Amino acid sequence: MMISHDNTLPSDANAASHVAASVGKYKVLFYGLLALTVLTVGVSYVHFGSNFWNFVVGMLIATLKAGLVSAIFMHLLGEKLTIWRFLIFTGVFVTGLFLLTLLAHKDPIPGTAHSSHSAKGNWHVAESISSPEKNSVSTGSAH
Amino acid sequence: MLNKLMGIVPNASEHGLPVEHMLEICHWVMLMLFLGWGTFFLYTIIRFRESKHPKADYYGVTGHVSSHAEFVVVLVEAALLLGLAFPLWGKRVLDIPPEQGEVMRVRAIAEQYAWNFHYAGADGKFGSQSSSLVSPSNPLGLDPSSVEGKDDVVSKNELHVVVQKPIVLEISSKDVIHALAIPHMRVAQDAIPGSKVPLWFRPIRSGKFEIVCGQLCGAGHYAMRSHLVVEKQDEFDTFAKELSDLQHPSASSK
Amino acid sequence: MSKFLPFFTDRDVPYTVAARPDTGLYSAKLGIWLFLASEVMLFGGLFSAYIFLRLGAEPGYWPKGLLNVPVGTLNTAVLIGSSVTVVFAWASLKMREFMKYRFYMAITILCGIFFLCVKLTYEWPAKFDHFGVFIKQSSAAKYEEFLGNDFLKEKNEEPRWEVTGHILRAPKGSPYGAVAEHNAEHFSHGAGHGLHLPGGEGDYVIQLDAINAKPNSEDNLRPAFWPRPLSSKTAVIRAEDVESASTFVPRHSTYFATYFLITGLHGLHVLGGLVVFLYLWLPFKGGATLYKSNPEHLANRVEIAGLFWHFVDLVWIFVFPIFYLL
Amino acid sequence: MSTIDSTVRHNQGLAGAHDDHHHHELGFWQKYVFSTDHKVIGVQYGVTGLTFLFFGFLLMLVMRWQLANPGDAVPLVGGALRGLFGPVVMTDAGALTSSGYNVFGAMHGTIMVFFGVVPLAVGGFGNFVVPLQIGAPDMAFPKLNMFSYWCFFISGVVMLGSFFVPGSAAKSGWTAYPPLAGMADFENGHLWLNGQTIWLLAMVFNITASLLGSINFIATIIQLRAPGLTWMRLPFFVWAQFVTAFLLVLAFPPLEAAGFMQLTDRVLGTCFFMPTGLVVGQSVAQSWSGGGSPILWQHLFWFLAHPEVYVLILPAIGIVAEIVANNTRKPLYGYKAMVYALFGLGFLSFIVWAHHMYMTGMGARVATFFQITTVMISVPSVVLLTSLLISLWGGSIRFNMPMLFATAFLPMFGIGGLTGIPLAFNAVDLYLHDTYYVIAHFHYVVAPGTIFALFAGVYHWYPKVTGRKMSEGLGRLHFWGSLITINGVFFPMFLQGMAGVHRRWYDGGVTYEQLIKPVIHWNMFMTVSAGLLALFQLPFILNFFTSLRFGQKVGRNPWEATTLDWDTPTPPPHGNFDKPVEVFRGPYEYSVPGATADFVPQTHRA
Ligand code: HEA
Ligand code: HEA
Ligand code: CUA
Ligand SMILES: [Cu+2]
C-alpha cells in the first residue's frame, strides 16, 4: 500500500462528490434549526409548572440544537476516534465542574446561612436555613 | 507518641482525641511505608551501584511485589477513610448539638483584624442589628432598642466558654475571609463574608488558649490573634456580668 | 505580514494539509478541536458561575424577560444562517467552485457583522440607558404601588424589589445626573417647556417601565414576546430607601454581570472569527490566493475556521435561552 | 517498501513540495529571537524559567530573613531593596513591611508555579525534548509555538512590572481569594495600574501561552510520531508531557474565566465574588449590588490549581523515569502500569479540587466525595513511584549528575506525597490546614521533588543542547549542598506545623509566641539553611555558564541512551534528524540479553 502524503491532493479521492451529496442535508438542517429556535421561544411562554421545568425543557432543546450543529455542521458524526476521545473527557470534566460545584453549593454544613438582601444592613444572615432552633438566631432589619 | 514527638500542641477538646488518634495512625502508616520503601531504596542503590554490579539485569524484578505493596496501601487508606475519616466528619457537621440542654451559642464575627464575640445573654436570644448603627464603638451595629438585645454582650478578641459545655460558634465575617482556628481544640472554620457557618466543640480542659486567624486577610493578618478562655460556670458568669455592667450600665443599676 | 498570520499551519512540518494515515487527521484539525475543548471549559467555567449565582440569587433578584426577545431570536437565526453558509463555503471549495466560495463566505461575514452591529448598536446601548433601583426590602411597602408585591404574593410569584425605567432625576452628586438630565429633556419634549418633575433634590425620579407602571396587571405577570413600551408614568424614590441603583451596566446585578461577561466574551469570539474569515476571503497569500497553488489547503483552513465559527454559534444556542427566555 | 517510503517522506519535511520559499539563511532575529524552531523556543522557555525560579527564590530569601529576624533590616541589600521596591514593601531602614511580606509571598507562589516550574518543565524540556524523542522535525505548529513563548514573555514582563506600580504587586496570596483580592490595591486610586489588576492581566497572558503551548504538544505527539513509534514505544517522558498538556488544556480555562470575573469585579464593579452586605471600613458597602459568592472563586481556582500541581510533578516524574532507565542500564519496571497510572492521575486530578476547601463549611456528602477521590489519587502516585523504585533493582547504577538528582527525587517526593495523605482526611486537615505542615508537604513535592528533577534534566540534556557536558565536580558540590540544606529548610516545617504555626505570618509567629514557643527557634535554622541553599546554587549557575565554553565536548550520544533524542547530531540542526527515522523497538532496550552493546537504540533494526 502506498500512502500518499502529497499535500496538494484531497486526502480522500471521492471527497468532492461526497461533499456535494451533503449539501442538501445542510439545507434541511438549517430549516430544522430555525424551527427549533422558534420552538425554544414558543416553549418559554408555556408554563411547565415551575421555572425549573421550563429550564429543563429549554436546555433540552438547546442541547438538541447544539448536538445537531456539532454532529452535522462540525462533522462530528464520522469524525475520527482521536477527537472523540478527548471530547468525551472534556464533556465529563465540564459536567464534573457543574455538578460538583452545584453539589458543594447545595450541601453546606447544616445550620449554615447565607446573607440576604433583606438583611443587607446586616453583613450576615438573618434567617438560618435549617437551624433546628430559629429563635436564637436574630432576624434582620425587619425588626 | 509520634504526635508528641512531632510536637503537637496538647489537646483540650472532646473530639480532639479521635482526631489526634487518626493523625497518629496516619503518621505511623507513613513512617512504616517510608521506612519500608526507604530501606529497599537504600539497599538497592548500594547493592546495584555500577562498581558493584557492572552488568544490569534486563528483567529486573519479575514478580508482583509492587502490586502487593500497592494493594496494602489501598487497604490501609480505605480503612482510614471508612473507619475514621467519615465518622469523624459526620460527627463534626451532622451532630451539631441542639439548643436544648447545656449548649452555648456564640457568634464569632471577624473583621480586619479582630474577632467580635457576640453572646446572647441570659435570654439566649440575639438582639437585632442594623448597619446604620455600625460605628467604631458599635462594630456589630447592635440595636439598642431591641428587647432581645438588652442583655446581649460583645467581647472583642476574647472568647469565654464554660468547660465541659458544648459550644456552637456561628462564624461569619464582615469584610474578607478569615478563619477561626483553635489548635488546642482541633477545630478550624473559615469565616466567609455572606455566610454564617456553625462550628462546635466541647472543651474538656480549663485554661487560656490562642485563637489563630488562619486565612490571609490583609496586612494585619499575622497579628489577628485572640484568646479562648475555658473556665468554670461561675467564672464565666462573673465575666458575663462584668461585660454586661459595662455595656448596659442602665440595666445593672436597676 | 501574512507570514505571521496563519499561526495554525506551517510548511516545514508534515500533515499540514494531508491527513496522517493512522489518525486520519491533518494537524490543524486536531489543533482546532483541542482549542475548542479548552473553549468548552472556558465557557463551562462561566456557565457554572451563572448556575452558581442564579441559584444563589434570592427571590426577586434575578430578572426574567428583560431582554428583547424578537431581536435575540433574529440574531440567533442570523448566526445559524451564517453557520450554514460557512459550510457551503467550505463545500464549494471542496468541489472547487471558487466563486461560490467567495459568495458564501461574503454572506457569512455579513451575517457576523450584522450580529455584532445588533449587539453593539442596539442591544448593549439599550441597557446603558435603562435604569433600575433596588428598593430596600424594609422600605418596599412604601413603593407597593410600583412593585405590586401583594398581588404577586397572591399569585404565588416571586416578589419584586426593583423599579426600572428611564431615570429623569438622580440625587445630587450621583453619577447618573447627566443621563437623568438628558432623559428629562426627552421626556418633557412635546409636553411643553418647563415641565415640573415630581420629587425633590435627593430623589430618584424614574419614568416607569410598563411592568412597574401597572404591577398588578395579569399581563405583566409573564414576560412578553414583544417588549412593552415605556409608560409615561413616573415614580419618585427617596434615596434612603434605595439599596442600590444604576443603569443596566455590569455592576447593576449579578444577572447583568454574567450577561455582559458572557455575551461580551462571545462577541469577542465572533469578532475573532470575522477577522479570520476576512483573511481567508481577501486575496492574501494564506487566504483566498492560496486557492491557486493549493486549493485543498485553503479548504482546510476554511474548515477549521468554520469549526470555530460553529462553536461560537453553539455557545449562542445556550446563551440565548438562558438570558433571554428562562 | 511502503514503510520505507513513508519514512523518507516523513523525514523530508515533505510538506512544502510546492514551496516557494526555500530555506534561505535566517537573520539573527529569526534564528534566535523570533524563532519558530522548537529547540530555540525550548531554550528560551528554559532559561526564562530558570531565571524566574531564581528570582522567586530571592524573594523568598528576603521573606525568610524576615521570619527569622522580624522587623530587622535586610542585611547588605536592605537599602537597595528599599530603593527598588519602594515604601510599601520596604521600610526606610530596609526591613520588609507586612504588606511587603504579603507581596513577596504572593509573588513567590505565583512566580514559582506559573513562571518558573511550568515554563521550565513544560515549555523548556517539553519543547526541546518531545519532538526529538518522537522523531519529528519540529512541533506541529511552529509559529503557534513561537507565539506561545512570546505570550508567556509578555506575561512575565507584566507580572514583574507590577512591582513598580503604586502600591506594589499583588498581595493576596497566589490563591487570590476574594473579597480580599477583589478589594485590594485600590488605595492609590488607580483602577488599572495596581498590583492585583495587573496580576490578573498577567495571568490571562500566562494562561493563553500555556493553552497554545499544550495544544501544540498534544497535536505534535499525536501527529508527528516517526514511523514505527507506536504509542507503547513512546519514551515515558513523552507520555508525561502528553497527560500534562491535557491537564493544562482542560483545567486552565475555568481559571481564565474566573480571572475575567475578578477583573470585572475590580474594574467594572460587578459582584461575581462579592456577597451581599459586605462591610468595608465600618459601614456597609453601598457601592456593591452584592449577590456574589466568594466560594465560587475558590471552586474555579482550585479546579485549575489542583491539576496544576500535577502539572508540576508529572514532567518531573517523566524526566526522572528517563534518567533512571538510562543510568540503571535496564528497562523501566512496569512501563505500561506507569502509563495507565498517568492517565488515572490525570483523570482523578480533575475531581479532587475541593480538598483545598475543607474549611469553607462543606457538608458531609461533598466532604465524603472529595475525601474518597483524594485518597484514590494517591494510588496512581504510589504506582508511579513504586515502579521507579523497583526499576532500580538489578540495575548497574551509574551515579552521574543527572542520576544523583533523580535518585534523590524519589525519597523526597515520597516524603511530600506521604504527608499529603493526612491532609486528605478533612477531620485531620482541620488541625493541619494552613499550617506549615501544608507548606512542608507541598514544598517537599515541588522543591526537593520537582526542582531536583528539573536539575537532573538540565544536567541530562545540557550536552544535547550545547554539545558539552556540565562539570561533575561543581555538580556534586551543588547536589550534596542542596540536598542537605533543602531538607534543613523544609523538614522543620513539619514540626512547626504540628505545633500550630500557621502560614503567611509576617513576624514568623512572634505574636503567637505563647502557642508556638517550643518551635519558634526553628525559624532561624530554616533561614540559615535557605541562605546556604542559595549559596549552593552558585556552583550550579557558574557551571551552567562556564560549561558553555569549557565543558567536555561530547558526540551524539554521550549517555549511551536508546531514545531518539540521542540519535540526532549534537546539537541538533534545523529539522533535527540527519537520516530517516524509523523505530523498531521500545524505548528502554538496555542490557538486552545477547546484544553486543548494553543499549539498543530505538532505531536499531531488529
Ligand atoms: C507537585 C505538587 C503536589 C503534589 C504531587 C501533591 C500531591 C498530593 N497532595 Fe498536595 N498540595 C500541593 C502540591 C502538591 N500536592 C500544594 C501546592 C498545596 C497547597 C496549595 C496552597 O494552599 O497554597 C497542596 C495542598 C494539599 C492539600 C490541602 C491542604 C490544606 O490546605 O489544608 C491536600 C489535602 O488533601 C493535599 C493532598 C495531596 C495528596 C493526597 C497528594 C497525593 O497525590 C500524593 C500521592 C503520593 C504519595 C502517596 C507518595 C507515594 C510514594 C512513595 C510512598 C514512595 C516513597 C519512596 C521512597 C521512600 C524512596 N495537598
Ligand atoms: C513550584 C513551586 C515552589 C517552589 C519551587 C518553592 C520553593 C521554595 N519555597 Fe515556596 N511557596 C510556593 C511555591 C514554591 N516554593 C507557594 C505556592 C507558596 C504559597 C504562597 C502563598 O502563601 O500564597 C509558597 C510559600 C512558601 C513559604 C511560606 C510563606 C508563608 O506562608 O508565609 C516559604 C517559607 O519558607 C517558602 C519557602 C521556599 C523555599 C525556601 C524554596 C526553595 O526551595 C527555593 C529553592 C529554589 C531553587 C533551588 C531554584 C534555584 C534556581 C536556580 C539556581 C536557577 C539558576 C538560574 C540560571 C542558571 C539561569 N515558600
Ligand atoms: Cu484575619 Cu487573617
Ligand atoms: Cu490538591
Side-chain angles (χ1 to χ4, degrees):
Chain A
M1 188 194 66
M2 176 67 204
I3 305 163
S4 162
H5 287 288
D6 190 334
N7 269 331
T8 54
L9 289 179
S11 41
D12 183 341
N14 57 10
S17 61
H18 188 76
V19 169
S22 326
V23 167
K25 196 169 66 183
Y26 299 143
K27 268 191 197 139
V28 174
L29 181 58
F30 172 58
Y31 295 120
L33 287 173
L34 285 188
L36 282 174
T37 306
V38 173
L39 184 68
T40 318
V41 175
V43 144
S44 76
Y45 294 101
V46 181
H47 205 44
F48 288 101
S50 81
N51 202 37
F52 174 78
W53 289 111
N54 266 44
F55 214 91
V56 170
V57 172
M59 284 300 103
L60 281 179
I61 301 177
T63 312
L64 176 63
K65 284 168 77 181
L68 287 172
V69 169
S70 47
I72 295 172
F73 283 165
M74 301 171 90
H75 313 299
L76 253 191
L77 277 182
E79 192 48 274
K80 300 293 175 294
L81 197 63
T82 314
I83 286 175
W84 271 102
R85 277 208 191 106
F86 65 75
L87 284 187
I88 288 172
F89 275 110
T90 312
V92 170
F93 293 142
V94 255
T95 322
L97 178 61
F98 287 165
L99 289 185
L100 290 173
T101 46
L102 202 68
L103 183 63
H105 192 61
K106 288 282 163 203
D107 182 34
I109 294 179
T112 301
H114 295 287
S115 64
S116 66
H117 289 269
S118 66
K120 186 171 180 175
N122 214 340
W123 44 88
H124 70 162
V125 197
E127 209 87 5
S128 128
I129 296 171
S130 53
S131 163
E133 61 304 299
K134 286 231 167 86
N135 53 353
S136 71
V137 186
S138 101
T139 41
S141 44
H143 274 261
Chain B
M1 185 196 116
L2 270 185
N3 285 340
K4 287 263 161 50
L5 206 65
M6 291 187 73
I8 197 170
V9 299
N11 171 48
S13 78
E14 188 184 35
H15 78 276
L17 288 169
V19 167
E20 211 168 65
H21 188 58
M22 180 164 179
L23 187 57
E24 175 91 25
I25 294 179
C26 279
H27 275 129
W28 274 112
V29 170
M30 283 151 57
L31 188 69
M32 311 266 264
L33 284 176
F34 188 75
L35 286 183
W37 264 302
T39 317
F40 177 85
F41 170 77
L42 284 179
Y43 178 74
T44 315
I45 57 176
I46 291 169
R47 169 163 165 202
F48 292 101
R49 65 188 192 276
E50 194 179 15
S51 52
K52 221 21 197 319
H53 193 252
K55 180 87 186 73
D57 170 11
Y58 180 77
Y59 298 101
V61 175
T62 45
H64 290 281
V65 271
S66 68
S67 322
H68 297 314
E70 284 145 18
F71 188 67
V72 170
V73 173
V74 173
L75 273 189
V76 171
E77 289 187 341
L80 281 173
L81 264 183
L82 296 173
L84 295 168
F86 295 159
L88 270 175
W89 192 250
K91 206 161 164 40
R92 285 285 59 233
V93 301
L94 296 179
D95 295 353
I96 297 177
E99 181 75 4
Q100 297 83 7
E102 297 287 276
V103 176
M104 181 149 79
R105 266 181 187 264
V106 180
R107 288 187 175 171
I109 297 147
E111 67 184 34
Q112 284 172 329
Y113 302 99
W115 286 100
N116 301 291
F117 298 104
H118 180 183
Y119 300 81
D123 65 352
K125 290 176 183 161
F126 291 102
S128 62
Q129 303 162 283
S130 165
S131 66
S132 47
L133 301 170
V134 171
S135 70
S137 61
N138 184 5
L140 299 186
L142 299 178
D143 179 358
S145 66
S146 153
V147 181
E148 281 115 1
K150 280 276 181 276
D151 56 353
D152 288 12
V153 293
V154 176
S155 81
K156 198 155 199 149
N157 287 338
E158 211 168 75
L159 171 63
H160 285 245
V161 297
V162 178
V163 67
Q164 300 292 359
K165 187 169 178 177
I167 168 156
V168 180
L169 290 171
E170 295 176 354
I171 298 175
S172 65
S173 167
K174 289 162 73 173
D175 36 39
V176 303
I177 301 180
H178 305 258
L180 185 130
I182 316 174
H184 291 93
M185 298 294 155
R186 315 294 190 239
V187 290
Q189 170 60 48
D190 281 1
I192 302 163
S195 301
K196 185 176 65 178
V197 190
L199 171 77
W200 77 279
F201 58 93
R202 185 159 164 260
I204 54 176
R205 221 153 45 76
S206 309
K208 191 167 180 186
F209 307 104
E210 298 203 292
I211 300 178
V212 180
C213 174
Q215 189 65 258
L216 182 64
C217 52
H221 160 68
Y222 70 98
M224 186 168 154
R225 178 181 67 154
S226 37
H227 283 99
L228 169 73
V229 179
V230 182
E231 56 200 1
K232 298 209 192 67
Q233 183 72 47
D234 51 339
E235 289 166 327
F236 177 81
D237 293 341
T238 331
F239 156 79
K241 172 125 182 31
E242 266 170 27
L243 267 193
S244 177
D245 288 351
L246 209 65
Q247 291 171 13
H248 307 285
S250 55
S252 61
S253 65
K254 261 190 262 173
Chain C
M1 166 72 175
S2 66
K3 234 165 73 192
F4 286 98
L5 262 181
F7 288 115
F8 295 112
T9 51
D10 193 277
R11 297 192 196 105
D12 289 349
V13 177
Y15 313 122
T16 49
V17 180
R20 178 179 166 112
D22 58 351
T23 58
L25 296 163
Y26 57 93
S27 299
K29 175 92 154 274
L30 186 62
I32 194 76
W33 271 111
L34 285 163
F35 179 68
L36 293 185
S38 83
E39 293 276 274
V40 169
M41 298 307 292
L42 177 70
F43 282 98
L46 293 169
F47 284 130
S48 76
Y50 170 94
I51 300 176
F52 216 82
L53 295 175
R54 178 160 188 180
L55 287 177
E58 284 164 70
Y61 287 89
W62 195 272
K64 255 173 276 164
L66 255 185
L67 305 182
N68 190 323
V69 179
V71 171
T73 314
L74 176 68
N75 251 353
T76 309
V78 166
L79 266 197
I80 292 177
S82 72
S83 254
V84 182
T85 53
V86 83
V87 211
F88 284 167
W90 167 77
S92 313
L93 271 185
K94 277 289 199 192
M95 296 183 285
R96 303 288 184 267
E97 295 179 81
F98 185 65
M99 288 323 285
K100 268 189 160 177
Y101 158 71
R102 295 285 304 261
F103 171 74
Y104 282 125
M105 201 50 136
I107 299 198
T108 312
I109 294 170
L110 289 178
C111 284
I113 293 176
F114 178 84
F115 179 91
L116 278 188
C117 284
V118 170
K119 269 263 103 78
L120 293 177
T121 63
Y122 173 72
E123 289 204 274
W124 280 21
K127 309 286 171 310
F128 299 150
D129 74 20
H130 231 76
F131 200 85
V133 178
F134 281 103
I135 311 277
K136 279 184 187 155
Q137 291 192 10
S138 48
S139 309
K142 286 203 246 168
Y143 300 93
E144 174 62 18
E145 155 190 13
F146 309 118
L147 298 173
N149 278 332
D150 292 341
F151 172 75
L152 289 170
K153 194 166 186 183
E154 194 180 296
K155 294 281 171 194
N156 220 356
E157 291 288 329
E158 288 191 0
R160 200 176 281 141
W161 309 110
E162 195 186 9
V163 174
T164 63
H166 282 183
I167 184 160
L168 302 180
R169 174 187 290 152
K172 243 199 172 140
S174 136
Y176 305 104
V179 191
E181 226 159 84
H182 172 87
N183 285 345
E185 230 162 70
H186 197 75
F187 182 66
S188 61
H189 186 77
H193 213 65
L195 171 107
H196 271 288
L197 286 174
E201 289 267 281
D203 300 335
Y204 288 89
V205 180
I206 310 264
Q207 181 189 353
L208 292 173
D209 275 334
I211 202 154
N212 292 114
K214 278 197 203 140
N216 294 347
S217 149
E218 293 273 347
D219 290 347
N220 286 335
L221 268 182
R222 300 258 149 265
F225 181 71
W226 298 108
R228 302 187 178 92
L230 218 61
S231 79
S232 56
K233 211 168 147 185
T234 58
V236 179
I237 297 156
R238 306 193 61 81
E240 70 260 23
D241 298 326
V242 172
E243 187 181 272
S244 68
S246 75
T247 46
F248 286 179
V249 289
R251 68 183 309 153
H252 178 80
S253 59
T254 46
Y255 171 82
F256 277 110
T258 35
Y259 166 80
F260 277 107
L261 188 59
I262 293 181
T263 58
L265 211 61
H266 178 265
L268 278 179
H269 278 73
V270 173
L271 189 67
L274 283 177
V275 171
V276 174
F277 282 163
L278 265 179
Y279 173 71
L280 294 175
W281 189 73
L282 291 171
F284 280 118
K285 211 169 116 197
T289 310
L290 190 58
Y291 186 78
K292 285 190 211 123
S293 58
N294 193 342
E296 191 61 16
H297 199 172
L298 181 61
N300 285 350
R301 286 191 171 177
V302 172
E303 186 181 12
I304 58 169
L307 282 171
F308 175 75
W309 192 254
H310 296 309
F311 175 78
V312 173
D313 182 17
L314 205 142
V315 170
W316 184 258
I317 285 178
F318 287 98
V319 170
F320 175 58
I322 66 173
F323 285 110
Y324 288 73
L325 301 173
L326 296 170
Chain D
M1 161 67 206
S2 69
T3 27
I4 296 175
D5 187 71
S6 68
T7 312
V8 174
R9 286 169 161 277
H10 184 95
N11 286 288
Q12 279 168 347
L14 71 168
H18 54 276
D19 206 330
D20 41 345
H21 96 107
H22 286 283
H23 282 291
H24 51 81
E25 257 322 296
L26 298 168
F28 170 80
W29 286 95
Q30 274 178 319
K31 206 163 168 182
Y32 298 110
V33 183
F34 296 106
S35 173
T36 55
D37 186 319
H38 73 100
K39 297 182 291 298
V40 178
I41 296 174
V43 172
Q44 288 173 328
Y45 254 125
V47 172
T48 321
L50 277 169
T51 315
F52 270 117
L53 275 182
F54 195 57
F55 179 65
F57 190 17
L58 294 182
L59 292 179
M60 184 42 74
L61 283 180
V62 179
M63 291 169 72
R64 285 261 32 132
W65 169 265
Q66 160 67 24
L67 290 174
N69 311 279
D72 289 0
V74 182
L76 309 178
V77 291
L81 290 177
R82 167 68 177 78
L84 187 62
F85 291 111
V88 177
V89 172
M90 307 295 293
T91 64
D92 288 337
L96 206 56
T97 65
S98 75
S99 286
Y101 185 84
N102 290 346
V103 169
F104 278 26
M107 294 307 266
H108 164 77
T110 308
I111 283 176
M112 283 300 198
V113 172
F114 298 111
F115 293 82
V117 171
V118 176
L120 177 55
V122 180
F125 286 112
N127 251 310
F128 192 90
V129 177
V130 166
L132 294 179
Q133 283 195 333
I134 63 172
D138 205 313
M139 296 286 270
F141 313 114
K143 281 176 188 152
L144 202 64
N145 205 15
M146 176 188 80
F147 195 62
S148 160
Y149 174 74
W150 287 104
C151 210
F152 162 68
F153 187 83
I154 292 173
S155 78
V157 170
V158 173
M159 190 59 93
L160 288 181
S162 73
F163 275 109
F164 305 108
V165 299
S168 198
K171 44 185 88 52
S172 309
W174 80 294
T175 47
Y177 281 5
L180 181 65
M183 309 189 296
D185 292 341
F186 284 131
E187 302 84 46
N188 298 285
H190 284 282
L191 202 55
W192 290 90
L193 214 56
N194 61 67
Q196 187 62 25
T197 305
I198 295 183
W199 186 89
L200 291 164
L201 291 173
M203 284 310 292
V204 169
F205 277 106
N206 187 287
I207 293 171
T208 309
S210 279
L211 287 178
L212 297 180
S214 29
I215 288 172
N216 214 340
F217 280 117
I218 299 172
T220 306
I221 295 171
I222 293 181
Q223 290 287 88
L224 301 188
R225 277 168 295 120
L229 189 56
T230 56
W231 287 102
M232 281 302 159
R233 285 177 179 171
L234 282 181
F236 189 72
F237 179 74
V238 176
W239 273 119
Q241 291 284 347
F242 188 66
V243 175
T244 304
F246 268 109
L247 297 185
L248 287 171
V249 167
L250 299 179
F252 245 140
L255 180 66
E256 191 159 29
F260 287 139
M261 289 185 238
Q262 196 177 97
L263 198 62
T264 61
D265 272 10
R266 291 178 60 80
V267 301
L268 295 179
T270 55
C271 284
F272 285 108
F273 307 125
M274 300 293 182
T276 303
L278 217 54
V279 175
V280 182
Q282 299 298 7
S283 70
V284 173
Q286 295 292 357
S287 52
W288 277 299
S289 54
S293 162
I295 299 302
L296 174 60
W297 167 270
Q298 296 189 18
H299 282 296
L300 296 173
F301 180 85
W302 291 114
F303 186 84
L304 158 84
H306 186 84
E308 177 76 18
V309 307
Y310 291 97
V311 169
L312 302 177
I313 203 69
L314 292 186
I317 293 183
I319 292 172
V320 170
E322 291 301 300
I323 292 172
V324 163
N326 177 238
N327 291 300
T328 53
R329 314 303 295 163
K330 62 185 278 299
L332 284 182
Y333 171 86
Y335 170 87
K336 276 202 174 151
M338 285 175 76
V339 172
Y340 297 139
L342 272 184
F343 276 87
L345 209 60
F347 181 82
L348 284 171
S349 71
F350 282 92
I351 48 171
V352 302
W353 77 83
H355 66 216
H356 296 274
M357 299 165 61
Y358 286 148
M359 296 310 115
T360 55
M362 59 173 67
R365 274 175 294 161
V366 185
T368 305
F369 178 86
F370 282 106
Q371 289 185 78
I372 293 179
T373 52
T374 303
V375 165
M376 272 164 68
I377 205 171
S378 64
V379 175
S381 307
V382 172
V383 171
L384 285 174
L385 260 282
T386 310
S387 299
L388 285 174
L389 205 54
I390 296 182
S391 296
L392 298 174
W393 186 271
S396 171
I397 307 172
R398 306 186 304 210
F399 286 105
N400 51 22
M401 278 324 298
M403 188 60 183
L404 278 179
F405 275 104
T407 316
F409 169 90
L410 299 175
M412 294 295 107
F413 177 79
I415 296 178
L418 288 172
T419 49
I421 290 174
L423 301 176
F425 304 116
N426 62 357
V428 176
D429 193 41
L430 268 184
Y431 181 68
L432 296 173
H433 178 69
D434 257 338
T435 63
Y436 266 76
Y437 194 93
V438 175
I439 300 278
H441 150 64
F442 75 78
H443 279 90
Y444 260 100
V445 268
V446 296
T450 301
I451 299 259
F452 270 27
L454 295 178
F455 281 146
V458 171
Y459 285 103
H460 186 63
W461 277 293
Y462 190 90
K464 181 53 57 183
V465 179
T466 64
R468 290 171 191 272
K469 269 192 187 175
M470 289 173 79
S471 146
E472 282 268 328
L474 286 175
R476 276 170 203 272
L477 184 61
H478 176 213
F479 172 74
W480 289 107
S482 300
L483 181 66
I484 293 166
T485 52
I486 210 162
N487 279 288
V489 180
F490 295 120
F491 201 82
M493 289 188 183
F494 286 120
L495 308 178
Q496 287 202 329
M498 287 291 279
V501 179
H502 278 60
R503 55 196 289 201
R504 294 163 171 173
W505 275 353
Y506 161 63
D507 63 358
V510 173
T511 307
Y512 292 93
E513 187 145 23
Q514 184 195 342
L515 172 68
I516 63 159
K517 197 174 213 102
V519 292
I520 198 165
H521 65 275
W522 281 115
N523 276 340
M524 185 54 91
F525 180 81
M526 287 147 67
T527 297
V528 171
S529 298
L532 291 175
L533 176 60
L535 284 184
F536 280 115
Q537 302 315 304
L538 298 183
F540 174 71
I541 297 175
L542 192 71
N543 201 348
F544 190 88
F545 290 108
T546 53
S547 297
L548 280 177
R549 289 241 8 209
F550 306 111
Q552 176 201 340
K553 272 202 164 146
V554 297
R556 296 170 79 98
N557 192 357
W559 308 120
E560 305 190 302
T562 50
T563 44
L564 293 177
D565 42 338
W566 301 101
D567 231 340
T568 63
T570 292
H574 189 74
N576 293 344
F577 292 91
D578 53 357
K579 57 177 183 187
V581 190
E582 191 177 358
V583 171
F584 297 97
R585 55 186 68 243
Y588 306 115
E589 295 294 279
Y590 290 102
S591 305
V592 181
T596 42
D598 77 340
F599 68 106
V600 189
Q602 286 191 278
T603 50
H604 206 282
R605 203 173 279 272

